Structure formats: structure tokens, C-alpha cells
Amino acid sequence: MATISSPGVGSNLDVKNIISQLVALEKRPLDSLKLQAATVNTKISAFGQVKSLVSTLQDAAGKLTSVTGWNGVTTTSSDSKYVSASAVGGTLPTSFNVEVQSLAKAQATASAALLPVGGALGAGTLRLELGKWSVSPASFTPQSGQPVDITISAADKLSDIASKINGANAGVTASILTDASGERLLLSGRGTGEQAGYRVSVNEGAGWDSDTQSFADNSDGVGLSRLATAQMDATATTLAADARAKVNGISVTSATNTFASTISGVTFKAEQVTEAGKPIAITVAKDESAVRSNIEAFVKAYNGINQLLQEATKYDPKTKSAGLLQGDSTAIALQNSLRSAVQSVTTGGGTLQRLADIGITQKLGGDLVVDSAKLGKALTSSPDDVKNLFRNTGGGSADGIAVQVKALATNLLSNSGFFKSKDDSLQLSLKRISQDQARVNDKVDAFEKRITQRYNALDKQLSSLNGLNAYVAQQVTAWNKSKG
């Protein structure tokens, strides 16, 4: 920006204010450009909202075109405190009784009390193995895979040993219990089920006995061997166990309390042991409410778009005010395309060919309204025809309403679709406005520099003339005095 060296000093003119007013006049086009930029940004935001609503409509239509959207089921338990259940879409209606006999357990063991508290137990190696215990005769069958060996030093305390077990990631967690009799090592399996048991073996230097499948000095009850499974407190030992139940009188088991593959399509969970002679009834039935909800969500999604476009493109003759997108041909074309899709007639819906046939009609303004009674009757009397009305894929006019709407929405949202093209166009307008603003600013800067230079020069000239005028006045005064 140009500067004024001595505005009005010699001329007594308010040069700075004069220049400011002239520059302000030159900047007036910027006000119009700022307004244009604000309008374009508002349109970008508006089309962004429409895009989001079209995406919601696409999702809603997708639920009506998918198989699972029409195969929803509801699963009930006569007492979910004992047995809860769920089923995947498409599961055939069924019912069965469940008696829970026992819950799944993880193995838990506690060592005998160890003294002195905080003392070292001795050097050696702890071996942790996962597998299954058999009670009679007592035996352990390890799982396939390598056991985990943990090296214990002579100085390690019980707390050090517990930390090493927890850090070994061997499927066993350790903690310490301290009471009046000493400290105990508590171990717990991380998984439930018979196959998730564990065995702790100790090697204090004698090596592995292949005949007994244990370390030779595993059970001498001295030093580190006090932590071996054989030395654990039998009264504080819980063996890993499967959950056991009866389904319609047939015994079934699961490593967890969840039975996921016992009944096809149904998963039930044993929450607690049932009372004797009081089985829990599980029922799976078709869920018509899910279909109705999906249809209503489709209508709501469409209405959201219609209402936004209706407001943005309207013109109020009374107030002579126009919506942001009033006269925007692309917005009107979008609105017409969506309306055409929901008003289309399909030949693939059997006796049902249009939304009006199931109680969905358009009111003044374009919103869809649902006749709940008529829709319910159609879902009850002609469920397959309702499904085909929305999701038939025969091609062309045979395509269902939801298929056509989803295809339209997908095309609008694609990388080469309506919204990408519209956004590119608006962004280009913003770029052009920005370039125009830069040109105006350059022009204003040049004008200000030029006009400032001129007024500075004029100010100097006037200053010289004022000086000459003062000199002449002085001479005249002096001459007049000399004559008197």
C-alpha cells in the first residue's frame, strides 16, 4: 500500500482522507465478490447436506434389497436370567427347551502356604502346559504344541515368580494370597472348558522322566517343587470343565457358556444352572416388525431429501424471497430424478406394482406418507409380493423400487456422479472469484500508489507556491514601510 510523505503539510488539504475515499470507491467491487463467495460456500454446504441424506437413502434402500433385510427373526427366552438366545436372519421358525446342568469353568489352583513370607523358593524351571485332566485315574493329556518353560533363579521371591508367569503368555495367570499361615501362589486358566486345563511341572536339576511324563524331582515337596500341580492344595483346586446342558432332553456340551453350533442359526448362552424340572423355552419366529421398520426408514430417508430440496428451491411470491437453490436446474433435476424413482412402476412385484399398492403415497409437496393399516395388511397377506416390490432384480421395469432407488443413489454418489460434478463446478466458481478478488486488490494497490504519488507531488507544488506567496507578501510590506 502506498504511503503519503507529508499529507497536507504544505497545502493545508486533507490529502490522506481524500485518498482513502478514492481507494474505497475502487474497492467496491470486492464487496460484490465477497457476497458471491459466501453464496457459493453456502451452496457447497447445502449440496453437502443433500449428499449426506442421499447416502442415508442409499443405506435404507440397501436394507430393502438385501436378503437379510427381509429374513429378520426375533428370538425369545421364557427366562433370560437362565438362558439367553439370538438367531441370524433367515433362521427357520423353531422352538426348543434348554436345561442348564453346569456352567463352564476355568481351572484354578492354590499352593500350600509358603514360609517365610517374601523368601526365595529355590532355583529351577517351571513348565506350564495346557491340556485336559482326567480324574479317574488321575492323568493329564497336554495339548499339541510346545510347553512354556520359565527359568527361576535362586533369589526369586514368590512375587517374582508370579510376574514371570504372567509375562510368559502361557494361558495361565498368577496372583499371590497372603494370610496368617503364609503366602500362596494362586493360578487360574485364562480359558474355560475341559481342554483349557493346565499342569505345572518343576525341574530342579534331575531332568525329564519320559516314563512318568514329568520331571524326576517334581514332587519332593521341597524348594521350587512346592509349586508343582501335584503339590497344590487339593481343597483349593477347581478343574476346568465344559458347560453342560440338555436340549429337548439331549445332552450337549460347550467349552464356554455359549452354545453357538448346537441349533442351526441359533446361539444360546447358559447364564446360570436351571432349576430341576424347569427347562427354559427358546422360540425363534419371523420378525415382521423389522421389515416394517426398514420400510419406514426408507420413507423417512426419502422425505429428508425432499424437504431439504423443497425448501432450497422454493420461491415465496408474498415476500418475494427465493430459496438458496431456487432456479438451480441441477437441484431441480435431482429432485425430479428421486421423485421419478419412488413413483416408478415395477412389473416384478406380482400383484403389487407401485408403492401406493402397499399404502405409501405422495402428498402435496412430495413427501411420502405411510398408511400403517394398509402396509400391515400387505405384509401379512402378501409378504413375498411386498418383498418383490422392493427387491426384485429382473432388470429394467422389473427391478424393484428399492433396487432402482439404490442404483440411482449409488450413481449420484459415485466419483463421476452428480455430487462430484456439482462440487467441482462450485469449487471452480470459488477459484474464479478468488482470482477476481486478487485482480481487484492489485488494481486498487496500483491506483492507490499512483494517486498517492500525484497528491504528494501536488502537495509539494502548493507548498512552494505558498512559500513564494509569503515571500512576495514580505517584500510588499517592506516596500510599503520604506515609502512611508
Coordinates of all heavy atoms in Angstrom, one line a residue, residues 19 35 101 108 115 176 180 274 296 312 326 345 350 385 465 474 476 481:
I19 N -7.6 10.6 -0.4 CA -7.1 9.3 -1.0 C -7.8 8.1 -0.5 O -8.2 7.2 -1.2 CB -5.6 9.2 -0.7 CG1 -4.8 10.3 -1.5 CG2 -5.1 7.8 -1.2 CD1 -3.3 10.3 -1.3
L35 N -19.7 -11.3 -1.4 CA -21.0 -11.9 -1.4 C -21.2 -13.1 -2.3 O -21.8 -14.1 -1.9 CB -22.0 -10.8 -1.8 CG -23.5 -11.2 -1.8 CD1 -23.9 -11.6 -0.4 CD2 -24.4 -10.0 -2.3
Q101 N -27.3 -77.7 33.1 CA -26.8 -78.6 34.2 C -25.6 -78.0 35.0 O -25.5 -78.2 36.2 CB -26.6 -80.0 33.7 CG -27.8 -80.6 33.1 CD -27.5 -81.9 32.4 OE1 -26.6 -81.9 31.5 NE2 -28.2 -83.0 32.7
A108 N -8.5 -73.6 38.4 CA -7.9 -72.7 39.4 C -7.3 -73.5 40.5 O -7.8 -74.5 40.9 CB -9.0 -71.8 40.0
L115 N 6.4 -70.4 53.6 CA 7.1 -69.5 54.6 C 8.6 -69.6 54.4 O 9.1 -70.7 53.9 CB 6.7 -70.0 56.0 CG 5.3 -69.7 56.5 CD1 5.1 -70.4 57.9 CD2 5.1 -68.2 56.7
I176 N -1.0 -63.6 44.2 CA -0.5 -64.1 45.5 C -1.5 -63.8 46.5 O -2.0 -62.6 46.6 CB 0.9 -63.4 45.8 CG1 1.9 -63.8 44.8 CG2 1.3 -63.8 47.2 CD1 3.2 -63.1 44.9
A180 N -2.6 -65.6 57.5 CA -1.8 -65.8 58.7 C -0.8 -67.0 58.6 O 0.2 -67.0 59.3 CB -2.8 -66.0 59.9
T274 N -30.3 -74.1 35.6 CA -31.7 -74.1 35.8 C -32.2 -74.9 36.9 O -31.5 -75.9 37.4 CB -32.4 -74.5 34.5 OG1 -31.9 -75.8 34.1 CG2 -32.1 -73.6 33.3
E296 N -40.2 -48.1 6.8 CA -40.4 -46.7 7.4 C -39.2 -45.9 7.3 O -39.2 -44.7 7.1 CB -41.0 -46.9 8.8 CG -42.4 -47.4 8.8 CD -42.9 -47.7 10.2 OE1 -42.0 -47.7 11.2 OE2 -44.1 -47.9 10.4
A312 N -35.1 -25.4 -0.4 CA -34.0 -24.7 -1.0 C -34.3 -24.2 -2.4 O -33.7 -23.2 -2.9 CB -32.8 -25.6 -1.1
Q326 N -33.0 -21.9 -5.6 CA -34.2 -21.5 -6.5 C -33.6 -21.2 -7.8 O -32.7 -20.4 -8.0 CB -35.0 -20.4 -5.9 CG -36.4 -20.3 -6.4 CD -36.5 -19.6 -7.8 OE1 -35.7 -18.7 -8.0 NE2 -37.4 -20.0 -8.6
V345 N -43.1 -47.7 -11.6 CA -44.0 -48.9 -11.6 C -43.1 -50.1 -11.9 O -42.3 -50.0 -12.9 CB -45.1 -48.8 -12.6 CG1 -45.9 -50.1 -12.7 CG2 -46.0 -47.6 -12.3
G350 N -45.3 -58.9 -8.6 CA -46.5 -59.7 -8.5 C -47.7 -58.8 -8.6 O -47.9 -58.0 -9.6
D385 N -44.9 -60.7 -2.2 CA -45.1 -59.7 -3.2 C -44.6 -58.3 -2.7 O -44.0 -57.5 -3.5 CB -46.6 -59.5 -3.5 CG -47.1 -60.7 -4.4 OD1 -46.3 -61.4 -5.0 OD2 -48.4 -60.8 -4.5
L465 N 4.4 27.2 -3.8 CA 3.6 28.4 -4.1 C 3.3 29.2 -2.9 O 3.3 30.4 -2.9 CB 2.3 28.0 -4.9 CG 2.5 27.5 -6.3 CD1 1.2 27.0 -6.9 CD2 3.1 28.6 -7.2
Q474 N 6.0 39.5 2.1 CA 7.0 40.2 3.0 C 7.7 41.4 2.2 O 7.9 42.4 2.8 CB 8.1 39.2 3.4 CG 7.6 38.1 4.4 CD 8.7 37.1 4.6 OE1 9.7 37.1 4.0 NE2 8.3 36.1 5.5
V476 N 6.4 43.2 -0.2 CA 5.5 44.3 -0.4 C 5.4 45.1 0.9 O 5.3 46.3 0.9 CB 4.1 43.7 -0.8 CG1 3.0 44.8 -0.7 CG2 4.2 43.1 -2.2
K481 N 6.7 50.1 3.9 CA 7.3 50.7 5.1 C 8.3 51.8 4.6 O 8.5 52.8 5.2 CB 7.9 49.7 6.0 CG 6.9 48.9 6.8 CD 7.5 47.9 7.8 CE 6.5 47.2 8.6 NZ 7.2 46.3 9.5

